């Protein structure tokens, strides 16, 4: 928030306000876009070419798409490497052409830089609008590369051609004039294999732990594993895409089987036929990008990924996959299909391999993903250009406002500002004093009265026993004492909720521990807080609803679950705070057992979650227990900073 001088400066300089509003808008845009990451690839880096002598023809890359498509967009993905030399071999000047005939006798120029150097992008993808032009062949001609002595060289990681949102260039054949090939590292087909140093095609929502693919340990390096997808009907399969599983617990690794086969069969009684094979060209190296296997319309009902050799990490042999996509007619037909994993004859149904999530976030169509990365580059460049301008304009405007205010307005201006600011502080202090007085009154007056009621009930009960009075009256006195005691405890919670000095997440956790000590004294329980934001101040409403959500969940466990163990945990998930409560009790009743109890048990929890604008996830299994997970964006919980 600008200081008073800053506010005046912005009133006198509308250009500064417009620049700041534009920067804020651009920063909001960045929060919605996929993140540009750098991954070090060991194989299939892309394609390189060279013009070895001045009289040699210009190097060219030509992609045959197999048939004509309306081209929506084309992306060039530059190399991204730790080597400074490799960073700088994006062609300086180039031309991109479309054609429906192989010899390009009829063609359309999509882009030509002529004699202008194309700017370096720092590894960001470059987008060209295809304007729905029909083309079967795409050609990139390098008019000028990077000088290396008398030669000129160039290199690219990937060329991605998008039609109707689908990457029609993946797996297509490439011909090169002036190629510089290195086995398994630089070769023409590596420019259409879908492998890019930008990583996995993900963005959007964060994946839950149960949505992060499949990881299994085998006893030795000889153990095999298979994942089989039944498509439900026979289809013409175009492409299979396998996403690596990220492991971040001890060793950082991106896992795929070190050696595997793609197999298909048309009917249940048929044998599986191997249609593709893959072996890690650099054994035991990470695979940070999806693997793409073109099947070119092979007909099948079932597809199986056969892992023939696991990845060795330390003393473990691991198989891992994050997601399986099977594409037919530009649609992912494996989405939500169950996957049968067979590991040493033990079969399991895996639902997390076709749920649309990679290891961290939701999978995006590659066209949308590249488009977001390109937009991020454009937005970041604009912010970089505007930031120095904003800083200079703000500095100059605030300096001018300071001198102008001192010379022209003087005390006439300063006194009203001082009065307004002082009134705001006085008003805030009055509110604090009111909260303290209410808390004190509750604690001293009502608390004292409740204590007196409880004491009178106990004394009356003793007199009743001594005088052999009616048992019904004794039961009523027990109930009065119980209600008074519970009301006193509830009043203590209300007093705590009003206390401004105990508004942090850490204070909430401390109160949760105190409440658990009181309510769960006959249950084995644990409370863990792994949040890194324990000093952050909560708003009054957020503090109240979080604590009451927690109390309601604990009361449900005590009343209904008959649990002997309870686990309570708070931690961070991205920009969210998560609260998880797990018990080993009876679980929620099924719908067949009781149609009415289920909504009653979770209605208050759901209401608190909605008020907090959070997400509630309740999972329960009969005689196993119940898991309650509440996730709320931290920005909705944190109190506005105090005015000083």
């Amino acid at each position: 928030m600008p200081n008073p001088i800053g506010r005046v400066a912005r009133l006198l300089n509308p250009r500064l306000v417009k620049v700041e509003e534009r920067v804020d808008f651009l920063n909001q845009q960045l929060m919605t876009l996929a993140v540009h990451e750098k991954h070090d690839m060991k194989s299939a880096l892309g394609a390189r070419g060279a013009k070895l002598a001045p009289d040699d023809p210009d190097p060219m890359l030509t992609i045959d798409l197999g048939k004509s498509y309306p081209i929506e967009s084309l992306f060039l993905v530059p190399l991204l490497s730790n080597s400074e030399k490799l960073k700088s071999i994006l062609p300086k000047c180039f031309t991109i052409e479309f054609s429906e005939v192989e010899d390009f006798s009829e063609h359309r120029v999509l882009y030509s830089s002529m004699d202008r150097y194309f700017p370096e992008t720092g590894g960001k993808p470059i987008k060209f609008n295809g304007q729905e032009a029909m083309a079967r062949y795409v050609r990139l001609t390098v008019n000028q590369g990077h000088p290396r002595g008398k030669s000129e060289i160039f290199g690219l990681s990937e060329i991605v051609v998008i039609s109707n949102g689908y990457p029609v260039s993946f797996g297509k054949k490439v011909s090169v004039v002036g190629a510089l090939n290195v086995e398994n590292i630089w070769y023409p087909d590596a420019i259409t294999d879908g492998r890019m140093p930008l990583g996995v095609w993900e963005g959007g929502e964060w994946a839950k732990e149960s949505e992060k693919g499949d990881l299994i340990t085998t006893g030795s390096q000889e153990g095999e594993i298979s994942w089989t997808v039944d498509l439900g009907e026979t289809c013409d399969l175009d492409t299979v895409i396998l996403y690596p599983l990220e492991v971040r617990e001890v060793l950082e690794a991106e896992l795929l089987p070190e050696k595997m086969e793609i197999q298909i069969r048309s009917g249940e009684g048929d044998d599986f036929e191997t249609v593709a094979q893959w072996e890690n060209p650099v054994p035991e190296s990470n695979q940070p990008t999806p693997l793409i296997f073109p099947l070119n319309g092979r007909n099948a009902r079932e597809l199986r990924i056969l892992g023939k050799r696991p990845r060795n990490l330390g003393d473990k042999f691991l198989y891992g996959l994050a997601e399986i996509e099977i594409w037919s007619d530009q649609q992912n037909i494996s989405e939500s299909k169950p996957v049968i994993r067979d590991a040493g004859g033990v079969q399991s149904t895996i639902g997390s391999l076709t749920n649309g999530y990679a290891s961290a976030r939701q999978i995006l169509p590659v066209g949308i993903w590249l488009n977001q990365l390109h937009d991020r580059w454009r937005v970041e460049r604009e912010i970089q250009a505007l930031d120095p301008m904003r800083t200079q304009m703000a500095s100059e405007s605030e300096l001018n406002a300071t001198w102008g205010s001192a010379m022209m307005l003087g005390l006439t201006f300063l006194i009203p500002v001082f009065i307004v600011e002082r009134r705001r502080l006085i008003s805030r202090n009055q509110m604090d004093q009111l909260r303290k007085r209410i808390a004190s009154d509750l604690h001293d007056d009502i608390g004292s009265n409740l204590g007196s009621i409880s004491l009178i009930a106990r004394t009356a009960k003793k007199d009743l026993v001594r005088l052999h009075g009616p048992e019904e009256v004794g039961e009523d006195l027990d109930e009065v004492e119980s209600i008074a005691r519970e009301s006193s405890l509830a009043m203590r919670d209300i007093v705590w909720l009003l206390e401004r000095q105990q508004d942090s997440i850490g204070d909430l956790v401390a109160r949760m521990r105190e409440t658990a000590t009181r309510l769960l004294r006959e249950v084995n329980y644990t409370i863990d807080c792994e949040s890194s934001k324990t000093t952050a101040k909560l708003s009054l409403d957020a503090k109240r609803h979080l604590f009451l959500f927690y109390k309601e969940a604990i009361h449900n466990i005590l009343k209904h679950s008959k649990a002997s163990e309870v686990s309570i945990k708070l931690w961070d998930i991205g920009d969210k705070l998560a609260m998880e409560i797990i018990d080993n009790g009876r679980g929620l009743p099924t719908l067949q057992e009781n149609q009415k109890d289920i909504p009653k048990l979770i209605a208050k929890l759901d209401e608190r979650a909605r008020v907090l604008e959070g997400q509630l996830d309740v999972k329960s299994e009969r005689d196993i227990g119940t898991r309650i997970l509440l996730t709320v964006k931290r920005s909705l919980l944190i109190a506005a900073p105090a005015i000083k």
Side-chain angles (χ1 to χ4, degrees):
M1 177 67 69
N3 55 42
I5 295 299
R7 294 171 190 164
V8 174
R10 283 154 181 81
L11 287 174
L12 299 177
N13 191 344
R15 285 188 62 216
L16 171 60
V17 174
K18 288 183 178 180
V19 170
E20 290 184 332
E21 288 177 348
R22 179 62 180 172
V23 171
D24 290 341
F25 171 75
L26 293 173
N27 281 318
Q28 289 294 323
Q29 271 196 316
L30 285 182
M31 296 175 64
T32 66
L33 298 174
V35 178
H36 175 266
E37 296 183 358
K38 175 180 175 180
H39 292 272
D40 188 16
M41 296 170 56
K42 303 295 184 182
S43 62
L45 301 186
R48 287 193 305 176
K51 186 176 182 180
L52 300 177
D55 295 334
D56 287 349
D58 287 341
M60 288 186 297
L61 290 162
T62 304
I63 303 173
D64 181 358
L65 301 177
K67 65 177 184 179
S68 292
Y69 293 94
I71 306 303
E72 177 185 326
S73 56
L74 180 146
F75 292 89
L76 299 183
V77 181
L79 297 167
L80 192 63
S81 171
N82 293 324
S83 168
E84 291 298 326
K85 292 183 178 179
L86 291 181
K87 280 184 180 179
S88 61
I89 60 175
L90 176 74
K92 288 188 172 183
C93 301
F94 56 90
T95 303
I96 301 174
E97 301 165 282
F98 290 164
S99 179
E100 294 192 78
V101 294
E102 189 174 5
D103 62 0
F104 281 78
S105 56
E106 297 179 4
H107 67 275
R108 175 176 177 173
V109 176
L110 175 68
Y111 171 82
S112 179
S113 58
M114 305 296 288
D115 56 352
R116 302 186 305 273
Y117 285 176
F118 195 88
E120 279 292 335
T121 70
K124 312 297 192 298
I126 308 158
K127 179 183 178 182
F128 301 92
N129 190 346
Q131 302 176 357
E132 302 297 328
M134 295 298 297
R136 171 175 174 169
Y137 300 94
V138 177
R139 182 167 71 188
L140 181 141
T141 303
V142 180
N143 307 118
Q144 184 174 347
H146 292 260
R148 296 290 188 269
K150 296 182 179 180
S151 304
E152 294 179 3
I153 69 167
F154 78 96
L156 283 170
S157 174
E158 192 82 9
I159 298 177
V160 184
V161 182
I162 303 294
S163 175
N164 296 322
Y166 183 78
V168 294
S169 57
F170 283 172
K172 298 303 189 293
K173 290 296 181 183
V174 183
S175 58
V176 182
V177 174
L180 292 176
N181 296 337
V182 178
E183 186 178 1
N184 289 328
I185 299 178
W186 303 103
Y187 52 93
D189 290 346
I191 210 166
T192 57
D193 63 358
R195 302 194 52 187
M196 293 168 267
L198 306 173
V200 177
W201 320 328
E202 60 182 356
E205 295 182 0
W206 290 89
K208 302 175 183 176
E209 285 300 322
S210 59
E211 296 171 334
K212 295 184 178 181
D214 188 28
L215 177 66
I216 187 166
T217 303
T218 64
S220 69
Q221 200 163 7
E222 304 302 320
E224 293 187 355
I225 190 173
S226 68
W227 294 275
T228 304
V229 185
D230 187 343
L231 302 172
E233 60 181 351
T234 303
C235 308
D236 294 331
L237 308 185
D238 298 328
T239 308
V240 175
I241 305 177
L242 304 182
Y243 291 80
L245 180 70
E246 294 184 8
V247 178
R248 292 290 180 267
E249 283 79 6
V250 180
L251 300 173
E252 294 196 358
E254 293 91 12
L255 294 182
L256 283 170
E258 285 288 289
K259 183 178 181 181
M260 59 181 158
E261 295 179 359
I262 308 298
Q263 301 177 338
I264 61 173
R265 70 176 176 182
S266 299
E268 188 173 339
D270 299 336
D271 293 332
F272 276 99
E273 175 189 0
T274 298
V275 292
Q277 296 179 328
W278 184 83
E279 185 171 359
N280 193 348
V282 183
E284 308 302 337
S285 65
N286 286 338
Q287 298 300 321
T289 66
L291 282 184
I292 297 171
F293 298 92
L295 298 187
N296 303 316
R298 295 296 297 268
N299 191 264
R301 173 181 173 137
E302 291 183 80
L303 183 137
R304 181 166 72 183
I305 296 102
L306 178 62
K308 299 183 72 67
R309 189 168 70 240
R311 173 76 180 276
N312 180 211
L313 282 176
D315 58 349
K316 296 183 179 180
F317 299 99
L318 304 176
Y319 279 113
L321 273 179
E323 186 77 2
I324 301 170
E325 291 184 348
I326 305 172
W327 288 80
S328 174
D329 194 24
Q330 300 187 4
Q331 290 186 345
N332 177 19
I333 60 175
S334 63
E335 184 176 1
S336 300
K337 294 285 193 304
V339 179
I340 304 300
R341 181 230 287 153
D342 189 327
V346 178
Q347 293 190 348
S348 306
T349 301
I350 310 297
S352 56
L353 286 174
T354 54
N355 60 3
Y357 287 88
S359 299
R361 307 180 79 172
Q362 192 174 12
I363 293 173
L364 300 177
V366 67
I368 294 176
W369 177 68
L370 286 170
N371 200 63
Q372 288 194 13
L373 293 181
H374 173 77
D375 287 346
R376 173 173 284 275
W377 174 47
R378 175 184 56 78
V379 171
E380 287 175 345
R381 282 192 304 168
E382 187 174 352
I383 291 175
Q384 288 174 359
L386 289 175
D387 266 339
M389 183 190 309
R390 177 181 64 171
T391 301
Q392 182 177 357
M393 291 174 65
S395 177
E396 292 176 353
S397 296
E398 289 185 10
L399 181 62
N400 293 337
T402 301
W403 284 106
S405 299
M407 294 174 63
M408 297 177 62
L409 302 179
L411 293 176
T412 306
F413 174 76
L414 294 176
I415 290 173
V417 171
F418 173 79
I419 292 173
V420 170
E421 293 296 324
R422 179 171 177 78
R423 282 181 178 176
R424 292 175 66 184
L425 288 174
I426 291 173
S427 176
R428 191 175 187 88
N429 289 334
Q430 288 174 343
M431 289 298 296
D432 284 344
Q433 291 299 323
L434 178 60
R435 288 175 69 178
K436 289 180 180 178
R437 188 165 65 251
I438 291 172
S440 177
D441 291 344
L442 283 172
H443 186 272
D444 295 338
D445 297 338
I446 299 177
S448 176
N449 291 340
L450 288 171
S452 298
I453 291 171
S454 179
L455 181 61
I456 292 169
R458 276 201 305 270
T459 304
K461 184 180 177 184
K462 289 179 181 178
D463 292 339
L464 192 68
V465 171
R466 180 171 55 81
L467 299 174
H468 304 290
E471 291 184 0
E472 292 81 4
V473 176
E475 291 174 357
D476 290 341
L477 290 172
D478 281 341
E479 186 173 357
V480 169
E481 182 184 359
S482 176
I483 292 172
R485 184 170 56 254
E486 290 180 4
S487 299
S488 178
L489 293 174
M491 182 271 299
R492 288 179 58 197
D493 290 337
I494 294 172
V495 171
W496 176 78
L497 287 170
L498 288 170
E499 178 57 58
R500 179 177 292 279
Q501 300 302 319
Q502 298 183 29
D503 280 353
S504 70
I505 294 176
D507 295 327
L508 173 65
V509 174
R511 189 64 180 182
M512 289 168 63
R513 293 184 191 278
E514 181 181 336
T515 303
T517 302
R518 187 175 73 241
L519 298 180
L520 298 176
R521 55 185 177 273
E522 297 180 3
V523 178
N524 184 17
Y525 70 90
T526 59
I527 299 181
D528 296 313
C529 178
E530 299 176 2
S531 173
S532 60
K533 308 292 183 181
T534 54
T535 59
K537 292 289 185 180
L538 298 169
S539 68
L540 179 60
D541 278 345
K543 173 184 173 182
R544 175 173 176 265
H545 288 295
L546 278 174
F547 181 68
L548 293 181
F549 176 96
Y550 167 77
K551 277 192 68 178
E552 180 64 23
I554 296 300
H555 279 301
N556 283 348
I557 291 172
L558 291 174
K559 290 180 182 179
H560 306 291
S561 74
K562 295 187 177 179
S564 61
E565 294 184 2
V566 177
S567 171
I568 302 158
K569 179 181 176 183
L570 282 86
W571 77 100
D572 300 321
I573 303 178
D575 62 344
K576 298 178 181 179
L577 177 69
M579 179 190 294
E580 180 187 69
I581 302 171
I582 300 174
D583 69 74
N584 67 342
R586 297 185 303 179
L588 294 173
T590 62
L591 289 177
Q592 291 77 9
E593 292 174 337
N594 196 322
Q595 292 278 357
K596 298 179 179 179
D597 285 352
I598 293 178
K600 287 182 180 178
L601 292 176
I602 64 173
K604 289 187 179 180
L605 297 179
D606 189 58
E607 182 181 347
R608 300 286 181 197
R610 285 200 306 272
V611 171
L612 288 165
E613 297 183 44
Q615 183 175 353
L616 176 64
D617 183 21
V618 179
K619 293 183 179 178
S620 182
E621 292 186 70
R622 192 65 176 168
D623 297 324
I624 293 179
T626 302
R627 174 181 180 264
I628 299 171
L629 175 63
L630 174 68
T631 55
V632 188
K633 284 190 176 180
R634 199 178 294 107
S635 59
L636 301 174
L637 300 175
I638 302 306
I643 301 172
K644 304 224 174 169

